[in-house]
Amino acid sequence: MKGLIFDLDGVLVDTAKYHYLAWREIAQELGIPFNEEDNERLKGVSRMRSFEIILEIGGRQMEEAEKERYCAKKNERYLTYIKKMPKSEILPGVRPFLESARRAGYKIALGSASKNSRLILERLELTDCFDAVIDGTKVSKAKPDPEVFLKGAQELGLAPADCVVFEDSQAGLEAARAGGMRAVGIGSPERLPQAEVCLPGFEGVTAEEVETLLARA
Ligand code: B16
Ligand code: MG
């Protein structure tokens, strides 16, 4: 294991709740029922695909241009939450994990579907922790396609097999496996059956310990 590739939303920071709040407002406006269980399907998938899933739930169809307008509106709402987000919303143990992994010589990349990832890393003062940032502005295929993680490995100058992906979404874990990388789920094994190893989070864990768990998996 030479490279660590991190998803952003739900792994480094709990932005998933803000995505949910913003989408719920849009769904309400359209009269589409939308709950936290439905929201699970939106994790890790692109903004447009998320909206299409909401339309599917409501049995609705829409012209491309109108879909774009709703996606832009959702993002405006989402950004109002993100701009108020305090630094303390970095998930527990994340910063020490990243810092100690860097000191131990691992290369670190971000592999996120979000087009807002640069802004979020800046707000959390995490930008300097990354050797490479691959996000929704740099990829054309959404998770579960492995493009985002393969580009991450490439920018780190590493083979996919030497990288481990940390993900909270099913689509993201499928992408990691499809790309030939090791896959660590952040969350419960029941919710994330695609993961080789699951961690509840990063508190009290080191990259070396993750490497040991993967060797046994
Ligand atoms: P944006 P990740 C994903 O980020 C989220 O999990 C997903 O819910 C969201 O729709 C997607 O980013 C796009 O985000 O609207 O900010 O471009 O989990 O891949 O870091
Ligand atoms: Mg995520």
Side-chain angles (χ1 to χ4, degrees):
M1 214 170 97
K2 296 178 185 160
L4 313 179
I5 307 180
F6 295 85
D7 172 52
L8 177 66
D9 294 327
V11 168
L12 303 180
V13 59
D14 188 15
T15 38
K17 66 179 178 222
Y18 299 126
H19 280 296
Y20 173 59
L21 291 174
W23 280 129
R24 200 179 55 179
E25 287 171 37
I26 297 292
Q28 266 166 0
E29 201 176 305
L30 290 165
I32 296 175
F34 180 66
N35 59 30
E36 285 193 64
E37 203 183 311
D38 300 319
N39 190 57
E40 276 301 308
R41 292 175 60 196
L42 273 41
K43 289 187 177 174
V45 302
S46 70
R47 198 179 304 165
M48 179 54 87
R49 183 64 200 129
S50 298
F51 187 51
E52 286 169 352
I53 292 171
I54 292 172
L55 289 176
E56 273 166 38
I57 293 169
R60 299 271 288 273
Q61 290 193 336
M62 210 177 259
E63 296 281 314
E64 248 0 83
E66 206 183 346
K67 284 201 263 181
E68 294 284 358
R69 271 201 303 280
Y70 276 105
C71 283
K73 198 166 178 181
K74 180 267 175 178
N75 199 48
E76 267 172 38
R77 307 256 168 98
Y78 177 64
L79 287 175
T80 59
Y81 292 116
I82 292 302
K83 285 179 181 154
K84 284 186 281 186
M85 178 174 74
K87 252 195 323 192
S88 56
E89 296 217 13
I90 299 178
L91 288 167
V94 164
R95 190 183 291 278
F97 184 92
L98 291 173
E99 287 171 354
S100 79
R102 268 205 131 189
R103 279 196 301 274
Y106 294 100
K107 294 264 179 222
I108 299 181
L110 189 84
S112 167
S114 176
K115 291 184 172 158
N116 297 302
S117 72
R118 286 268 175 198
L119 173 79
I120 296 168
L121 290 183
E122 290 294 328
R123 269 207 73 78
L124 300 176
E125 294 174 15
L126 280 179
T127 308
D128 291 346
C129 294
F130 291 87
D131 300 295
V133 173
I134 310 295
D135 65 11
T137 63
K138 291 191 181 169
V139 295
S140 53
K141 297 181 210 126
K143 301 168 188 175
D145 188 283
E147 183 186 14
V148 64
F149 297 136
L150 290 174
K151 281 199 170 164
Q154 195 183 17
E155 275 207 25
L156 294 179
L158 297 173
D162 289 329
C163 296
V164 53
V165 168
F166 296 88
E167 255 291 350
D168 69 317
S169 75
Q170 300 182 355
L173 289 164
E174 279 169 33
R177 302 302 295 267
M181 292 160 212
R182 307 303 304 268
V184 174
I186 302 299
S188 71
E190 293 75 32
R191 194 176 66 78
L192 301 170
Q194 303 87 344
E196 293 173 84
V197 164
C198 272
L199 300 174
F202 293 99
E203 215 162 15
V205 190
T206 64
E208 290 89 338
E209 283 161 359
V210 173
E211 198 161 355
T212 307
L213 290 172
L214 282 169
R216 289 198 205 122

